[in-house]
Amino acid sequence: MADALVPIADNVWIFPTAGVAERVEPNVGVIQTAVGTVLVDAGNSPRHARRIARALEEAGAPPVSHIIYTHHHWDHVYGAQVFSATIVAHELCRELLAERAALPWSATFIEEESRRNPAYEQVYRNMNRAVGDWSGFRICLPTFAFGGQMTLYLDGATLDLEHVGGQHAADSIVVKLREAGIAFLGDCFYPPPMQPAPEPGYDRALLARLLDDTSLHTFIDGHGSRPRTRDEVAAFVASG
Ligand SMILES: [Zn+2]
């Protein structure tokens, strides 16, 4: 499969999810500005991120200047070391990643963790498959962390970053590109990972609150197969 950026709007693309659950490759947002390229999430591993970097190069995108983490989960963060960029995230995301960054990541460590937390065995297996080679691996901590909300005023893109929290991850934020009315949702309305049955389902109330911002008309979630229109999101909210 050739890796290619999928155009969403002027100067906006996604590096799309593989659509294969075990590969756990989320959609990565790509926003080109005069300052540089902004990534929304960093890929699930250095390997994944190198594929993203290659696609950016082929598209003639400027170097990655900023990475925004939508939340701390590994599949959104573990590729960051491939880029030398300013990383922005919620302060809780930074806290959670600081704990993880201190751990001795290696295939052996992953095996031990799987034994200690059998409920997470599948997560560790996917993580180990994605990263493959742990030598030189490191978790990149955000260089800017915020509570509540913040706005990045880049030349060509105004990005509103808003903390929404929720059941999937307490540090979830939504990234809104003002000029294009696009919202990158990360996984914010998904069920919590590794929740024993009965699964609580999607957080439709959170999505409904996001629809209150009438400037938004395109919604991109972390693992969705394509962007959704405002009407599609509204229909999804109403279907629950
Ligand atoms: Zn997640």
Side-chain angles (χ1 to χ4, degrees):
M1 182 196 69
D3 289 325
L5 300 176
V6 175
I8 304 295
D10 281 352
N11 301 320
V12 186
W13 296 265
I14 52 171
F15 187 89
T17 171
V20 180
E22 311 78 65
R23 279 173 61 181
V24 206
E25 291 173 4
N27 291 306
V28 171
V30 176
I31 302 157
Q32 199 172 313
T33 78
V35 178
T37 296
V38 181
L39 296 186
V40 181
D41 287 328
N44 72 8
S45 59
R47 211 151 50 169
H48 186 203
R50 278 192 291 273
R51 283 170 42 216
I52 297 166
R54 215 171 302 132
L56 293 175
E57 206 179 294
E58 277 164 20
V64 175
S65 57
H66 297 77
I67 296 172
I68 302 165
Y69 292 155
T70 59
H71 62 303
H72 70 288
H73 289 161
W74 69 276
D75 51 318
H76 298 257
V77 168
Y78 280 15
Q81 71 183 75
V82 164
F83 307 99
S84 105
T86 297
I87 302 177
V88 185
H90 189 262
E91 55 199 12
L92 179 58
C93 177
R94 192 179 192 286
E95 241 173 72
L96 293 164
L97 287 177
E99 287 169 18
R100 283 159 180 72
L103 300 173
W105 294 98
S106 70
T108 313
F109 173 71
I110 294 269
E111 242 171 66
E112 290 163 2
E113 282 293 284
S114 304
R115 272 200 295 274
R116 276 192 288 268
N117 304 293
Y120 282 81
E121 195 191 338
Q122 185 66 45
V123 173
Y124 286 120
R125 192 177 314 136
N126 290 338
M127 191 189 286
N128 197 35
R129 190 189 303 123
V131 174
D133 177 8
W134 290 93
S135 57
F137 172 80
R138 65 192 174 87
I139 292 174
C140 297
L141 299 183
T143 32
F144 280 103
F146 67 97
Q149 61 183 66
M150 78 173 284
T151 300
L152 287 178
Y153 296 94
L154 305 172
D155 192 353
T158 312
L159 291 162
D160 294 313
L161 281 45
E162 292 178 19
H163 180 230
V164 293
Q167 61 177 10
H168 181 79
D171 61 325
S172 279
I173 64 165
V174 166
V175 180
K176 301 177 182 177
L177 174 59
R178 252 189 235 178
E179 287 82 354
I182 295 171
F184 294 93
L185 307 177
D187 300 351
C188 69
F189 67 98
Y190 291 176
M194 310 310 299
Q195 191 76 7
E199 210 189 56
Y202 293 105
D203 189 343
R204 288 180 164 81
L206 193 159
L207 270 184
R209 284 196 298 279
L210 295 176
L211 287 174
D212 288 345
D213 182 343
T214 53
S215 72
L216 299 174
H217 52 78
T218 304
F219 298 81
I220 298 167
D221 58 314
H223 300 268
S225 58
R226 60 178 177 84
R228 310 286 157 171
T229 64
R230 189 176 180 79
D231 285 351
E232 285 174 318
V233 174
F236 180 76
V237 167
S239 72

